[in-house]
Amino acid sequence: AYSVEFLQTYKDMQEYPELWKVYSEQYNINYIFFDHHDITPWARSFLSHISQNPEWPMVYQDTSVVIFLKLNSDNQNLINSLR
């Protein structure tokens, strides 16, 4: 479902918040569905940064996954209803 180019940047996107901003806009990422048991250093870094980013509010968490939505006009009603 993802291009080779995207997969090559995936780890860097997770590890470096400045690259996340660039690539999430380039690939028009609108939500994050993430296994919070991923113990790789880049996943830990990503979850730490994204959970503190006000542009990506967390709308769901259970024992396995966490979901963040991009704060934009398309998602605003859904974000409001899930918080």
Side-chain angles (χ1 to χ4, degrees):
Y2 297 104
S3 69
V4 171
E5 179 186 346
F6 176 84
L7 292 174
Q8 290 171 338
T9 62
Y10 182 68
K11 180 182 170 213
D12 289 341
M13 288 170 50
Q14 291 180 59
E15 204 162 12
Y16 304 104
E18 63 279 2
L19 292 179
W20 166 255
K21 182 156 180 62
V22 170
Y23 288 121
S24 66
E25 291 175 9
Q26 178 181 337
Y27 291 109
N28 198 28
I29 297 174
N30 197 39
Y31 65 90
I32 303 162
F33 188 95
F34 204 90
D35 175 1
H36 59 75
H37 293 111
D38 187 336
I39 61 169
T40 59
W42 50 90
R44 297 285 96 198
S45 177
F46 178 72
L47 285 174
S48 175
H49 288 105
I50 204 70
S51 66
Q52 297 175 35
N53 186 335
E55 295 177 16
W56 289 90
M58 182 177 57
V59 296
Y60 178 81
Q61 180 178 5
D62 66 18
T63 59
S64 299
V65 300
V66 63
I67 300 174
F68 299 89
L69 292 177
K70 186 174 185 175
L71 187 57
N72 60 32
S73 59
D74 292 336
N75 292 337
Q76 188 63 59
N77 287 337
L78 182 57
I79 290 168
N80 290 344
S81 71
L82 295 172
R83 287 178 126 188

